[in-house]
Coordinates of all heavy atoms in Angstrom, one line a residue:
A107 N 101.0 110.4 86.4 CA 102.1 109.6 86.0 C 101.9 109.2 84.5 O 102.8 109.1 83.7 CB 102.3 108.4 86.9
V108 N 100.6 108.7 84.2 CA 100.3 108.4 82.9 C 100.5 109.5 81.9 O 101.1 109.4 80.8 CB 98.8 107.9 82.7 CG1 98.3 107.9 81.3 CG2 98.7 106.5 83.4
A109 N 100.1 110.7 82.3 CA 100.3 112.0 81.5 C 101.7 112.2 81.2 O 102.1 112.6 80.1 CB 99.6 113.1 82.1
K110 N 102.6 111.9 82.2 CA 104.1 112.2 82.0 C 104.7 111.2 81.1 O 105.5 111.5 80.2 CB 104.7 112.2 83.4 CG 104.4 113.3 84.3 CD 105.2 113.4 85.5 CE 106.6 113.9 85.3 NZ 107.3 114.1 86.6
V111 N 104.2 109.9 81.2 CA 104.7 108.9 80.2 C 104.3 109.3 78.8 O 105.1 109.1 77.8 CB 104.1 107.5 80.6 CG1 104.4 106.5 79.4 CG2 104.7 107.0 81.9
L112 N 103.1 109.8 78.6 CA 102.6 110.2 77.3 C 103.1 111.6 76.8 O 102.9 112.0 75.7 CB 101.1 110.2 77.3 CG 100.4 108.8 77.6 CD1 98.9 109.0 77.6 CD2 100.8 107.8 76.4
G113 N 103.6 112.3 77.7 CA 104.2 113.7 77.4 C 103.1 114.7 77.1 O 103.2 115.6 76.3
V114 N 102.0 114.6 77.9 CA 100.8 115.5 77.7 C 100.5 116.1 79.0 O 100.9 115.6 80.1 CB 99.6 114.8 77.2 CG1 99.9 114.2 75.8 CG2 99.1 113.7 78.1
E115 N 99.8 117.2 79.0 CA 99.3 117.9 80.2 C 97.8 117.6 80.4 O 97.1 117.5 79.4 CB 99.5 119.4 80.1 CG 101.0 119.8 80.2 CD 101.1 121.3 80.2 OE1 100.1 122.0 80.5 OE2 102.2 121.8 79.9
L116 N 97.4 117.4 81.6 CA 96.0 117.1 81.9 C 95.2 118.4 82.3 O 95.7 119.1 83.2 CB 95.8 116.1 83.0 CG 96.5 114.7 82.8 CD1 96.2 113.8 83.9 CD2 96.0 114.1 81.5
E117 N 94.2 118.7 81.6 CA 93.4 119.8 82.0 C 92.2 119.2 82.8 O 91.2 118.8 82.4 CB 92.8 120.5 80.8 CG 93.9 121.2 79.9 CD 93.3 121.9 78.7 OE1 92.2 121.7 78.4 OE2 94.1 122.7 78.1
R118 N 92.5 119.1 84.2 CA 91.5 118.5 85.0 C 90.4 119.4 85.4 O 90.6 120.5 85.9 CB 92.3 118.0 86.3 CG 91.5 117.1 87.2 CD 92.3 116.6 88.3 NE 93.1 115.4 88.0 CZ 94.4 115.4 87.9 NH1 95.1 116.4 88.2 NH2 95.1 114.3 87.6
Q119 N 89.2 118.9 85.2 CA 88.0 119.7 85.5 C 87.2 118.9 86.5 O 86.8 117.7 86.2 CB 87.1 119.9 84.2 CG 87.9 120.7 83.1 CD 87.1 120.8 81.9 OE1 85.8 120.9 81.9 NE2 87.7 120.7 80.7
D120 N 86.8 119.5 87.6 CA 86.0 118.8 88.7 C 84.6 118.6 88.1 O 84.0 119.5 87.4 CB 85.9 119.7 89.9 CG 87.2 119.7 90.7 OD1 88.2 119.2 90.2 OD2 87.2 120.3 91.8
A121 N 84.1 117.4 88.4 CA 82.7 117.1 88.0 C 82.1 116.1 88.9 O 82.8 115.3 89.6 CB 82.7 116.6 86.5
S122 N 80.8 116.1 89.1 CA 80.1 115.1 90.0 C 80.2 113.8 89.3 O 80.1 113.7 88.0 CB 78.7 115.6 90.3 OG 78.0 115.7 89.0
F123 N 80.3 112.7 90.1 CA 80.5 111.4 89.6 C 79.5 111.0 88.5 O 79.8 110.5 87.5 CB 80.4 110.5 90.8 CG 80.6 109.0 90.4 CD1 81.9 108.4 90.4 CD2 79.6 108.2 90.0 CE1 82.1 107.1 90.1 CE2 79.8 106.9 89.7 CZ 81.0 106.3 89.8
E124 N 78.2 111.3 88.8 CA 77.2 110.8 87.9 C 77.1 111.6 86.6 O 76.4 111.1 85.6 CB 75.8 110.9 88.6 CG 75.3 112.3 88.9 CD 75.8 112.8 90.3 OE1 76.8 112.3 90.8 OE2 75.2 113.7 90.8
T125 N 77.8 112.7 86.4 CA 77.7 113.5 85.2 C 78.9 113.1 84.2 O 78.8 113.4 83.0 CB 77.8 114.9 85.4 OG1 79.1 115.3 86.0 CG2 76.7 115.4 86.4
I126 N 80.0 112.4 84.7 CA 81.2 112.3 83.9 C 80.9 111.4 82.7 O 81.3 111.7 81.5 CB 82.3 111.9 84.7 CG1 82.7 113.0 85.7 CG2 83.5 111.5 83.9 CD1 83.9 112.6 86.7
L127 N 80.4 110.2 82.9 CA 80.2 109.2 81.8 C 79.4 109.7 80.7 O 79.8 109.6 79.5 CB 79.7 107.9 82.3 CG 80.6 107.1 83.3 CD1 80.0 105.8 83.7 CD2 82.1 107.0 82.8
P128 N 78.2 110.4 81.0 CA 77.4 111.0 79.9 C 78.2 112.0 79.1 O 78.1 112.2 77.9 CB 76.2 111.5 80.6 CG 76.1 110.7 81.8 CD 77.5 110.4 82.2
A129 N 79.1 112.8 79.9 CA 79.8 113.9 79.3 C 80.9 113.4 78.3 O 81.3 114.1 77.4 CB 80.4 114.8 80.3
L130 N 81.3 112.2 78.5 CA 82.3 111.6 77.6 C 81.7 111.5 76.2 O 82.4 111.7 75.2 CB 82.9 110.3 78.1 CG 83.7 110.3 79.4 CD1 83.9 108.9 79.9 CD2 85.0 111.0 79.1
G131 N 80.5 111.0 76.2 CA 79.8 110.7 74.9 C 79.6 112.1 74.2 O 79.5 112.1 72.9
S132 N 79.4 113.1 74.9 CA 79.1 114.4 74.3 C 80.3 115.1 73.8 O 80.3 116.1 73.2 CB 78.3 115.3 75.3 OG 79.2 115.8 76.3
G133 N 81.5 114.6 74.2 CA 82.8 115.2 73.8 C 83.2 116.3 74.8 O 84.3 116.9 74.5

Side-chain angles (χ1 to χ4, degrees):
V108 164
K110 292 184 76 170
V111 170
L112 297 176
V114 298
E115 292 185 17
L116 301 182
E117 296 179 348
R118 189 174 276 116
Q119 302 174 38
D120 287 8
S122 60
F123 180 91
E124 65 271 22
T125 65
I126 293 176
L127 297 186
L130 292 171
S132 70

